[in-house]
């Protein structure tokens, strides 16, 4: 809000009315999230992917995507306490950006040609690979073992798409809203395998309650180039985010985020990708 050519009295009156509005708790304090430099910035993340994007019981957020998003936000002019993290499930991401619900999305969001029709991407900032999570004593060791088996994944993900188009068209695919919903089924035996990025699966396998129960098959079924999703046409933000990601790698903050978040899950990540280079 800029006050121009207002007399001192008028300015004081305006300030008073702003204060009154702000105290009114009308929830509008983040209305600048789309323009940058405002009070708050809304960022889309996952809420149930430990090591990547996780909402903790105390309301705080953790994970590699959270650390990347926080670094990027800082470069865009927002401190950590100005960030409002919003859950963007796999199937909601394009719409959340199109509607302007969030300024950007850092949520294990693979850059694909199909998605590029609807949104723009900065990055990539991580290369992951699709894999399978199965029970420790499972005999499933390759994708062809999945045909006729109960497979769980998430609607709107490349993981589910790849299963159908590519490596297990005859699997009984159940598509949930989130990956964590697949875990109970895997534990009970209702589901034979959960498929998505190895980065995500490693985080689940390392959780205290699942320790020793599940294993990753170790298959690199696809290349998942994680990008930061931005509203279609917002080239200025894409360019700023790319500069921030480059700086994050150069300053070794990227390495620190990797060690902090993937270390506990023993996830062996790929080296930092080059901005604009997609591994097909
Ligand atoms: N990276 C994949 C995707 O963007 C799978 C993980 C996810 O659903 O977020 O669809």
């Amino acid at each position: 809000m800029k006050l121009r050519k207002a007399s001192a009295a008028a300015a004081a009156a305006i300030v008073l009315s702003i204060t009154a509005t702000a105290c009114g708790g009308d929830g509008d304090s983040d209305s600048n999230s789309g323009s940058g430099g405002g009070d708050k910035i809304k960022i889309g993340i996952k809420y149930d992917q430990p090591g990547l994007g996780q909402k903790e019981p105390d309301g705080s957020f953790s994970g590699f995507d959270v650390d990347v998003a926080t670094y990027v936000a800082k470069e865009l002019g927002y401190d950590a306490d100005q960030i409002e993290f919003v859950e963007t499930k796999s199937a909601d991401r394009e719409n959340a950006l199109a509607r302007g619900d969030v300024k950007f999305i850092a949520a294990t969001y693979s850059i694909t040609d199909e998605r590029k029709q609807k949104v723009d991407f900065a990055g990539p900032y991580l290369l992951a690979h699709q894999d399978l999570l199965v029970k420790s004593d499972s005999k499933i060791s390759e994708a062809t073992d999945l045909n006729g088996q109960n497979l769980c994944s998430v609607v709107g993900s490349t993981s589910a798409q790849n299963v159908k188009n590519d490596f297990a068209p005859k699997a009984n695919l159940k598509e949930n809203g989130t990956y964590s919903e697949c875990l109970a089924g895997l534990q009970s035996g209702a589901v034979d395998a959960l498929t998505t990025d190895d980065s995500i699966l490693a985080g689940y396998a390392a959780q205290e309650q699942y320790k020793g129960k599940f294993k990753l098959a170790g298959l690199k079924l696809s290349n998942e180039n994680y990008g930061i999703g931005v509203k279609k046409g917002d080239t200025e933000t894409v360019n700023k985010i790319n500069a921030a990601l480059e700086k994050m790698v150069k300053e070794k903050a990227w390495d620190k985020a990797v060690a902090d978040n993937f270390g506990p899950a023993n996830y062996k990540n790929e080296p930092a990708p080059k901005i604009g280079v997609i591994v097909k």
Side-chain angles (χ1 to χ4, degrees):
M1 175 76 64
K2 289 194 184 84
L3 301 175
R4 260 178 273 150
K5 289 186 183 166
S7 71
I14 291 168
V15 168
L16 276 175
S17 78
I18 292 168
T19 312
T21 310
C23 293
D26 62 2
D28 253 349
S29 61
D30 52 12
S31 57
N32 285 329
S33 64
S35 55
D39 287 341
K40 286 229 167 181
I41 183 166
K42 287 188 182 177
I43 304 174
I45 58 161
K46 296 294 185 73
Y47 272 16
D48 65 336
Q49 296 180 184
L52 282 153
Q54 174 81 1
K55 185 171 186 182
E56 303 292 351
D58 67 0
S60 65
F61 298 93
S62 71
F64 184 71
D65 281 342
V66 170
D67 288 355
V68 169
T70 304
Y71 188 99
V72 166
K74 180 88 187 159
E75 292 299 307
L76 296 182
Y78 298 89
D79 288 332
D81 61 5
Q82 291 175 287
I83 298 173
E84 186 184 329
F85 286 114
V86 175
E87 183 177 32
T88 45
K89 294 180 182 172
S90 296
D92 299 339
R93 293 175 291 199
E94 289 81 22
N95 286 339
L97 288 171
R99 284 194 303 259
D101 293 354
V102 290
K103 181 74 173 171
F104 66 81
I105 290 181
T108 61
Y109 198 8
S110 298
I111 301 172
T112 69
D113 289 340
E114 202 185 333
R115 289 172 179 165
K116 277 201 276 185
Q117 311 281 316
K118 295 181 182 163
V119 302
D120 285 342
F121 285 102
Y125 65 93
L126 190 76
L127 175 62
H129 306 281
Q130 188 166 354
D131 199 357
L132 308 175
L133 188 71
V134 294
K135 273 193 170 170
S136 299
D137 58 359
S138 172
K139 296 207 167 48
I140 296 172
S141 60
E142 358 192 353
T144 48
D145 296 336
L146 293 169
N147 288 322
Q149 302 287 303
N150 294 324
L151 182 61
C152 196
S153 198
V154 159
V155 61
S157 68
T158 55
S159 317
Q161 205 58 48
N162 293 340
V163 166
K164 291 186 269 194
N165 294 352
D166 196 2
F167 61 77
K170 294 197 185 107
N172 306 318
L173 179 66
K174 176 160 175 43
E175 292 178 72
N176 281 324
T178 62
Y179 298 101
S180 57
E181 291 170 62
C182 293
L183 285 170
L186 192 60
Q187 202 166 12
S188 74
V191 160
D192 300 303
L194 157 55
T195 187
T196 186
D197 306 337
D198 48 11
S199 48
I200 300 171
L201 298 176
Y204 289 137
Q207 278 192 304
E208 203 51 48
Q209 68 267 41
Y210 301 126
K211 272 206 175 128
K213 290 189 176 150
F214 302 146
K215 64 181 178 192
L216 276 77
L219 309 170
K220 289 183 167 42
L221 296 167
S222 69
N223 292 318
E224 304 296 324
N225 298 269
Y226 289 1
I228 296 198
V230 171
K231 192 177 198 148
K232 184 99 190 131
D234 190 356
T235 313
E236 194 191 334
T237 303
V238 168
N239 292 340
K240 281 186 191 164
I241 295 177
N242 279 337
L245 292 172
E246 257 163 6
K247 190 172 167 196
M248 187 178 185
V249 172
K250 201 161 153 234
E251 283 184 342
K252 307 253 184 259
W254 189 91
D255 293 305
K256 185 182 177 324
V258 159
D260 289 351
N261 297 294
F262 297 144
N266 204 19
Y267 175 61
K268 300 277 174 278
N269 63 285
E270 301 272 6
K274 294 240 174 321
I275 298 301
V277 179
I278 306 298
V279 180
K280 289 279 182 190

